[in-house]
């Protein structure tokens, strides 16, 4: 059973059954796990979906279900990167104090409103879906697109909009990395938001690791 929080209007079709929506907290998720007889829980959320990850850990413990996180290591800066690391969204907003700039906010739609506190900038936004309500940033341009993105595509986007600063979360992995390579290529500074803390857990970084944990080694030919 693949369980989505329901943030994307048209999720991609999947080859397994899908359900959508929250469970009503840790107790609700633990009840669901017990009632459906789930034996293994794979947390495959984005590294910033901290509440889902915390709930998954706590509910698995309550229901006596095995738990693993399928995630990706955080990005680390390379030669040519100009990163300014901040602890959270509020710190990223504070880091934008100062004269008007052309800023790409590569954050998804959930935290964009916080940047209304720095209305002097021209913001470039990229969402998966059209915005349901007006975006509270006085000067912005919205692009609707769904990753993974290529370096060429992100270079073109940054150049077309004459972006001089990128703000993003340290998601890790390859699907969202193109913008960092593009920023490095253009010599742009990056405000990099560190990941929220998640309690200690078993983590794997590839699907093969998840399948091995599920004892599906035979399917991998190993
Ligand atoms: N946060 C990001 O930056 C980010 C970026 C890209 C993609 N995403 C993806 O967007 C989705 C939502 O992320 P988020 O940051 O909004 O989450 P979140 O704040 O951590 O959690 C939102 C709510 O999702 C519900 N939930 C918990 N486990 C669930 C499950 N297995 N299936 C469905 N719902 C569950 C919980 O509601 P109840 O308490 O009612 O159970 C939880 O309070 C995730 O799939 C995440 O991977 C997030």
């Amino acid at each position: 059973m693949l369980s989505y929080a329901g943030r994307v209007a048209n999720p991609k079709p999947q080859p397994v059954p899908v359900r959508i929506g929250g469970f009503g907290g840790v107790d609700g998720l633990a009840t669901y796990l017990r009632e459906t007889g789930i034996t293994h829980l794979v947390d495959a959320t984005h590294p910033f979906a901290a509440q889902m990850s915390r709930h998954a850990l706590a509910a698995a413990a309550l229901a006596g279900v095995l738990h693993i996180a399928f995630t990706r290591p955080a990005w680390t800066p390379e030669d040519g990167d100009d990163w300014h690391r901040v602890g959270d969204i509020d710190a990223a907003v504070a880091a934008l104090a100062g004269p008007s700039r052309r800023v790409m906010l590569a954050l998804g739609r959930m935290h964009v409103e916080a940047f209304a506190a720095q209305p002097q900038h021209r913001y470039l936004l990229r969402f998966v879906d059209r915005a349901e309500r007006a975006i509270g940033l006085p000067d912005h341009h919205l692009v609707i697109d769904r990753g993974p993105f290529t370096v060429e595509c992100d270079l073109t986007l940054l150049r077309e909009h004459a972006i001089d600063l990128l703000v993003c979360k340290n998601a890790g992995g390859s699907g969202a990395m193109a913008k960092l390579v593009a920023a490095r290529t253009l010599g742009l500074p990056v405000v990099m938001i560190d990941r929220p803390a998640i309690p200690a857990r078993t983590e794997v970084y590839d699907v093969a690791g998840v399948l091995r944990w599920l004892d599906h080694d035979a399917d991998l030919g190993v």
Side-chain angles (χ1 to χ4, degrees):
M1 178 60 71
L2 174 59
S3 179
Y4 282 129
R7 297 282 191 252
V8 174
N10 293 302
K12 283 185 183 169
Q14 299 291 348
V16 293
V18 171
R19 65 165 295 289
I20 297 179
F23 295 92
V26 173
D27 290 340
L29 179 53
T31 302
Y32 174 86
L33 294 173
R34 281 196 206 97
E35 286 180 351
T36 50
I38 300 276
T39 57
H40 293 66
L41 191 157
V42 181
D43 175 357
T45 58
H46 186 277
F48 279 73
Q51 195 171 339
M52 286 175 83
S53 289
R54 289 187 196 115
H55 286 192
L57 261 176
L62 263 182
V65 165
L66 296 172
H67 172 284
I68 201 167
F70 169 34
T71 184
R72 47 225 187 180
W75 292 314
T76 50
E78 294 182 16
D79 281 353
D81 280 331
D82 178 15
W83 287 13
H84 304 262
R85 288 180 57 185
V86 295
D88 54 24
I89 297 283
D90 289 345
V93 172
L96 294 197
S100 174
R101 305 182 73 166
R102 300 178 68 95
V103 181
M104 179 173 183
L105 282 187
L107 299 174
R109 78 191 138 100
M110 281 187 298
H111 301 288
V112 156
E113 300 296 324
F115 289 85
Q118 305 284 4
Q120 70 275 32
H121 304 298
R122 165 109 174 129
Y123 290 104
L124 172 64
L125 313 173
R126 180 163 62 187
F127 295 174
V128 176
D129 296 309
R130 302 224 149 265
E132 295 139 0
R133 54 198 160 83
I135 297 165
L137 300 175
D139 188 6
H140 71 268
H141 179 84
L142 173 60
V143 173
I144 306 294
D145 206 352
R146 188 190 296 241
F149 303 104
T150 64
V151 174
E152 293 70 38
C153 147
D154 280 358
L155 268 173
T156 304
L157 189 69
L158 293 174
R159 283 196 181 112
E160 266 178 2
H161 293 271
I163 295 302
D164 54 29
L165 177 72
L166 172 68
V167 179
C168 70
K169 298 172 177 173
N170 195 332
S174 56
M177 202 170 65
K179 58 182 177 274
L180 294 181
V181 180
R184 187 185 308 140
T185 306
L186 298 175
L188 300 184
V190 176
V191 173
M192 180 64 75
I193 305 169
D194 281 338
R195 296 171 168 207
I198 310 267
R201 57 190 186 167
T202 306
E203 293 186 351
V204 288
Y205 299 130
D206 56 17
V207 173
V210 178
L211 291 176
R212 229 173 267 125
W213 177 76
L214 289 171
D215 200 17
H216 287 197
D217 286 11
D219 298 344
L220 300 171
V222 291

